[in-house]
Amino acid sequence: MDLVIYNTLSRVKEVFTPLDPARVRMYVCGPTVYDYAHIGNARPVVVFDLLYRLLRHVYGADHVTYARNITDVDDKINARAEAEGRTIREVTETTAAQYHADMAALGAMLPTIEPRATEHIDDMKAMIERLVERGYAYVAEGHVLFEVSKMADYGRLSGRSVDDMLAGARVEVAPYKRDAMDFVLWKPSKPGEPSWPSPCGIEEAGRPGWHIECSAMAGRHLGEVFDIHGGGIDLTFPHHENEIAQSCCAHGTEQMARYWMHNGFLQVEGEKMSKSLGNFITVHELLESDKVGGRTWPGAVVRLTLMSAHYRQPLDFTQKGLEEAEKLIERWAKLIAPIELPADVAPPEEVIEALCDDINTPRAIAALHGFARAARSGDADAAAKLAAAASFLGLGPESWRGATAASEDAAKADPEMAARVERLIADRIAARAAKDWAESDRIRDLLVAEGIVLMDGKNPQTGEMETKWELKK
Ligand code: AMP
Ligand code: ZN
């Protein structure tokens, strides 16, 4: 069966053929680690996790390389560290750890490689020097800029005219730019900001621009031309357009990736999600707090909600949607409970067919409905299919257990619940260290409401704050 995917580059659905079926390569732009991932950020994670699972099924688990970067150098990170009196590394490390915990709770597998920007500075510098040597970039006032007019094909991915692009560019054009469209590859660091020795003979220390990070990391781990590049639709321009410009001009290739895939945007209760509207929801809040509907939600429920619309369509994330997903998960859970799946069970054809149709998750969910209906009327084969399908789609029992499902008694016996409490306690200690008393109180109240007693103290050896906990008798 062919895998068909919509390619943003050609604007049509195409049959996917990898450059090398023994090494299928996919790159997805990952998080900038300064704050909890919001529910919109989780959408590409779930979408490309499904594609990763499908590629592993089709080409073999050992023949797929999935790289998703961690951007750990950025203005937003610097600002956050400064505001909280923490080191940049503390901010990036705690945020990356939280990201992993949240995405694991949503049933997303870890990518094969998670390159960090700060560990690839030399690759970025080498690429920047090559761009200057080849005449695609120039040095100006401590900056290195990519000269967009040198690339004939610029704008092909987003299909924008230069006028459109200019309208989207910053209003104020930096004086050192030859043209308003030119973008930064390298810039000087201000005092206190992370900095590295600069390329191209620039004396003052500096740091990379955002776009060059992905080009350098993708080049290092996946090669000059690879199969699939993904991300949210907002990244098409300028980020992906700039990645293509940098990679193609540095490597002298026609293409960077052969298939470009973009997920649509997620809204909350019909409105754009934004901090100012007060409808901004993090994955962490869904899993661990009472922000939505006055309760927590299991990871599988959140994942199924994110799968409810086709990935290229907009998705309206609502409490009603979560409730409906939960009803389904609970219904399926009952049918699957008695089934013991062999470890190497194959997913049902109907589900593979649905995913091969440009990751058609509504169609995959419809297939699960069908299995559930048959299973309810006593068809054991259908129940086994339901179990195999749920597990393949990352909706299996591993991700059902959320805070809500577990009773207090179960908590102590339940290592996942204990791990969750430990995690919240670590968050609370971090909040206190950052003097964020409101957040620290919020976490304490949340735990207390769940019948957990906290005992604060000091570790006698290190002198650091330590919190022990037990369930209220
Ligand atoms: P950022 O940290 O803003 O670069 O975003 C990380 C990823 O989440 C990117 O792939 C974005 O395109 C994606 N993303 C951000 N906001 C949303 C949203 N509201 N809906 C869907 N995807 C989003
Ligand atoms: Zn990127």
Side-chain angles (χ1 to χ4, degrees):
M1 186 191 324
D2 284 337
L3 161 57
V4 173
I5 52 186
Y6 180 88
N7 190 348
T8 309
L9 207 51
S10 62
R11 290 170 182 72
V12 288
K13 283 192 188 180
E14 293 178 23
V15 173
F16 175 71
T17 42
L19 286 164
D20 176 3
R23 190 166 172 252
V24 181
R25 288 158 289 164
M26 169 162 84
Y27 186 93
V28 175
C29 299
T32 303
V33 282
Y34 68 99
D35 204 350
Y36 289 116
H38 60 65
I39 185 65
N41 300 141
R43 192 174 190 197
V45 173
V46 169
V47 166
F48 292 104
D49 176 65
L50 288 166
L51 179 55
Y52 180 42
R53 288 165 184 260
L54 178 64
L55 292 171
R56 285 164 60 97
H57 171 75
V58 174
Y59 296 96
D62 295 338
H63 299 295
V64 184
T65 307
Y66 171 20
R68 185 183 65 205
N69 67 292
I70 292 186
T71 294
D72 58 354
V73 47
D74 185 88
D75 286 341
K76 289 188 241 107
I77 300 173
N78 304 342
R80 181 59 60 104
E82 166 118 21
E84 294 183 351
R86 300 161 75 194
T87 64
I88 284 173
R89 195 158 170 90
E90 257 168 40
V91 171
T92 57
E93 287 307 306
T94 47
T95 312
Q98 191 62 56
Y99 185 80
H100 286 138
D102 287 347
M103 297 310 139
L106 299 190
M109 295 170 69
L110 269 181
T112 336
I113 317 169
E114 271 197 307
R116 284 172 187 247
T118 53
E119 289 167 10
H120 293 76
I121 301 287
D122 285 345
D123 289 325
M124 297 176 208
K125 282 163 59 173
M127 199 167 206
I128 292 170
E129 295 199 320
R130 209 168 319 135
L131 286 168
V132 173
E133 275 160 30
R134 288 175 163 250
Y136 291 105
Y138 59 95
V139 177
E141 294 183 29
H143 295 72
V144 187
L145 293 135
F146 187 94
E147 190 160 10
V148 168
S149 65
K150 292 279 166 73
M151 195 205 179
D153 245 8
Y154 189 84
R156 193 174 138 214
L157 178 73
S158 52
R160 290 181 184 223
S161 69
V162 172
D163 285 348
D164 285 351
M165 291 192 271
L166 277 174
R170 295 264 170 84
V171 187
E172 203 181 313
V173 178
Y176 47 79
K177 286 192 183 181
R178 288 185 190 164
D179 187 277
M181 291 292 296
D182 297 351
F183 60 88
V184 166
L185 300 172
W186 189 266
K187 57 192 165 189
S189 296
K190 296 192 193 79
E193 289 177 352
S195 68
W196 291 266
S198 294
C200 310
I202 298 170
E203 269 181 28
E204 55 196 313
R207 60 199 166 109
W210 169 40
H211 314 299
I212 195 73
E213 296 179 9
C214 286
S215 283
M217 291 187 273
R220 159 68 58 190
H221 296 285
L222 304 183
E224 294 183 352
V225 186
F226 54 92
D227 297 301
I228 300 172
H229 192 314
I233 189 81
D234 58 318
L235 299 185
T236 314
F237 178 82
H239 184 54
H240 290 166
E241 207 72 79
N242 292 355
E243 281 190 36
I244 293 173
Q246 296 162 154
S247 295
C248 292
C249 294
H251 302 311
T253 49
E254 291 275 306
Q255 287 179 313
M256 176 185 186
R258 298 170 65 237
Y259 302 84
W260 287 79
M261 297 177 70
H262 294 97
N263 65 272
F265 248 47
L266 171 154
Q267 296 196 313
V268 171
E269 307 283 354
E271 284 190 289
K272 182 173 185 247
M273 183 165 57
S274 84
K275 286 204 167 130
S276 56
L277 286 174
N279 65 355
F280 191 89
I281 310 168
T282 65
V283 175
H284 186 69
E285 285 168 331
L286 280 168
L287 299 172
E288 312 266 357
S289 86
D290 58 1
K291 173 129 178 197
V292 178
R295 47 164 292 194
T296 60
W297 299 89
V301 169
V302 179
R303 182 175 175 100
L304 184 59
T305 309
L306 290 172
M307 288 169 58
S308 63
H310 186 266
Y311 78 93
R312 285 193 284 121
Q313 298 301 318
L315 170 71
D316 193 19
F317 192 84
T318 61
Q319 186 181 325
K320 192 158 162 280
L322 283 166
E323 285 160 0
E324 281 166 9
E326 180 163 62
K327 267 190 225 136
L328 276 182
I329 293 279
E330 285 177 353
R331 223 179 287 154
W332 294 345
K334 274 196 209 110
L335 294 165
I336 294 172
I339 293 180
E340 284 204 19
L341 275 186
D344 56 352
V345 67
E349 271 308 296
E350 293 88 330
V351 169
I352 296 303
E353 264 170 40
L355 292 187
C356 278
D357 173 17
D358 196 26
I359 331 201
N360 192 333
T361 50
R363 190 172 148 192
I365 294 169
L368 269 72
H369 277 300
F371 302 145
R373 219 174 298 124
R376 260 197 309 280
S377 56
D379 180 343
D381 200 36
K385 276 188 173 182
L386 180 64
S391 164
F392 182 74
L393 294 171
L395 296 166
E398 323 74 73
S399 48
W400 292 340
R401 233 178 281 133
T404 40
S407 71
E408 277 184 23
D409 282 351
K412 263 282 146 132
D414 173 353
E416 272 185 45
M417 171 60 92
R420 178 180 162 267
V421 171
E422 300 284 352
R423 229 179 334 133
L424 280 169
I425 287 174
D427 288 350
R428 178 167 165 265
I429 291 176
R432 291 173 69 94
K435 303 201 171 29
D436 185 349
W437 310 117
E439 174 66 2
S440 146
D441 289 350
R442 190 189 69 77
I443 298 173
R444 186 202 53 218
D445 293 347
L446 182 72
L447 288 168
V448 169
E450 290 180 25
I452 287 155
V453 182
L454 297 179
M455 291 153 289
D456 288 333
K458 264 199 178 135
N459 180 313
Q461 261 146 27
T462 63
E464 280 174 5
M465 179 176 167
E466 212 175 50
T467 301
K468 295 203 161 58
W469 65 280
E470 63 178 27
L471 284 168
K472 200 156 55 197
K473 302 275 164 1

